[in-house]
Amino acid sequence: MKILSIVGARPQFIKCAPLSRAIRKDHEEILVHTGQHYDPEMSDIFFKELNIPEPDYNLGVGSGSHGEQTGKMLIEIEKVLLRESPNLVLVYGDTNSTLAGALAASKLDIKVAHVEAGLRSFDRAMPEEINRVLTDHTSNLLFCPTETALLNLKAEGIISSYLVGDLMFDALKHNKKIAAEKSAILEDLCLTPKEYIVATVHRPSNTDSFENLSSIFKALCDAKWPVVFPVHPRTEKFLKFYGIWNKVNENIKLITPLGYLEMLKLMEHSRKILTDSGGIQKEAYMLGVPCITIRENTEWTETVKDGWNILVGANYGKIITAIERFEGSHTKGDIFGDGNASEKICEILSMYNRLIC
Ligand code: UD1
């Protein structure tokens, strides 16, 4: 089968690494990078570290408003699809690259497979929620990472879905030992294991709001442990725009975005993680590190139910209390599968190929 995979943003590179490896054993893969993330530390480093094949196409779309970014991607992806005529288009997650890929393919009557299908925050103010719902409803094959995701799709009347587990767990299992051996991030930043916090913020609801961003940063300045903060380009832009960047005290180490291996090691040895990222909430769970989520809702509800994740929004008091008191749980389930999602997806793709070809 000729599969055309579309990626564009940081978390998609991580998920694509194990699946691309597995797909290429049995199928032909064409890899398309939309160019949504383009800075070397947001893109190139992941391809190098995770041995992801060089993209066959880089569409160079870059930044822009949602309509502009998604529209440019649609135009460029359509050209590639007409040229390559794949049997199936594979899209990942919930970014503008995901939606553009699914829409361009389904309009040309090309089958679409969605990896990380069925996630819902039930918050339509999040651009990612719109991307998820629309992508799921145009897809022919839906690969769910969790039981909850599968149930969400059933509730929306979608039945062509499969529970396969989470590709991020495949990536983490494969790379944990490599990160332990290769990364010297703790030494480089003079950190003692379990004596620091890792924090990341990049959601528009936090970055674009002065009130939320300043409340989060005030809490991080007052945190009980030193905070290491890899800064997403969007966040850097707003921290500078709102004049917060220069007011950050010595409790916070602002650093450039990290590659996968450095980030994995940094998170594994941290005391707690504070984030508004979806992927990091999962990785914290997989690593057994308590996660404080600076959002009002999450798609990864199992991590909260299991006692490893707490939702605190951007509220100063709640963040401080969670940093001081939230310790996670004593037990952990297997909510993200067994780390073999890529094999399971490939088996289903091969079955599907026999049916459609
Ligand atoms: C996107 C995804 C989000 C995902 C996140 C991972 C959408 C709607 N959002 O958010 O779901 O969790 O990626 O990081 O698709 N920028 C750079 N260099 C880069 C990339 C971005 O400077 O390499 C800046 C640009 O100024 C841009 C801003 O960051 O305007 C935001 O980037 P964008 O890709 O639009 O969204 P993210 O916030 O990264």
Side-chain angles (χ1 to χ4, degrees), residues 28 52 58 91 106 195 199 219 245 251 264 271 277 299 307:
E28 181 191 352
I52 305 169
N58 192 322
V91 293
S106 58
E195 293 293 323
W245 185 269
N251 201 43
L264 197 56
R271 178 91 185 204
S277 150
E299 309 75 65

Side-chain angles (χ1 to χ4, degrees), residues 11 36-39 63 94-96 128 202 232-234 237:
Q36 177 168 357
H37 284 175
Y38 45 87
D39 284 340
S63 307
D94 57 15
T95 71
N96 291 340
E128 292 83 0
H202 78 272
H232 186 287
R234 168 195 286 285
K237 207 161 57 182

Side-chain angles (χ1 to χ4, degrees), residues 341-356:
S342 39
E343 274 75 33
K344 287 178 194 148
I345 292 174
C346 277
E347 272 169 33
I348 297 164
L349 287 176
S350 296
M351 234 163 54
Y352 191 68
N353 183 33
R354 287 195 288 275
L355 280 176
I356 61 165

Side-chain angles (χ1 to χ4, degrees), residues 8-12 35-43 62-66 69 73 94-98 126-128 131-132 202-204 207 232-235 237-238 276-279:
R10 203 165 47 170
Q12 291 163 337
Q36 177 168 357
H37 284 175
Y38 45 87
D39 284 340
E41 68 270 19
M42 297 289 287
S43 177
S63 307
S65 67
H66 285 280
Q69 194 179 49
M73 288 176 192
D94 57 15
T95 71
N96 291 340
S97 302
T98 316
M126 278 179 83
E128 292 83 0
N131 292 342
R132 286 178 200 127
H202 78 272
R203 293 276 161 209
T207 54
H232 186 287
R234 168 195 286 285
T235 316
K237 207 161 57 182
F238 280 97
D276 60 8
S277 150

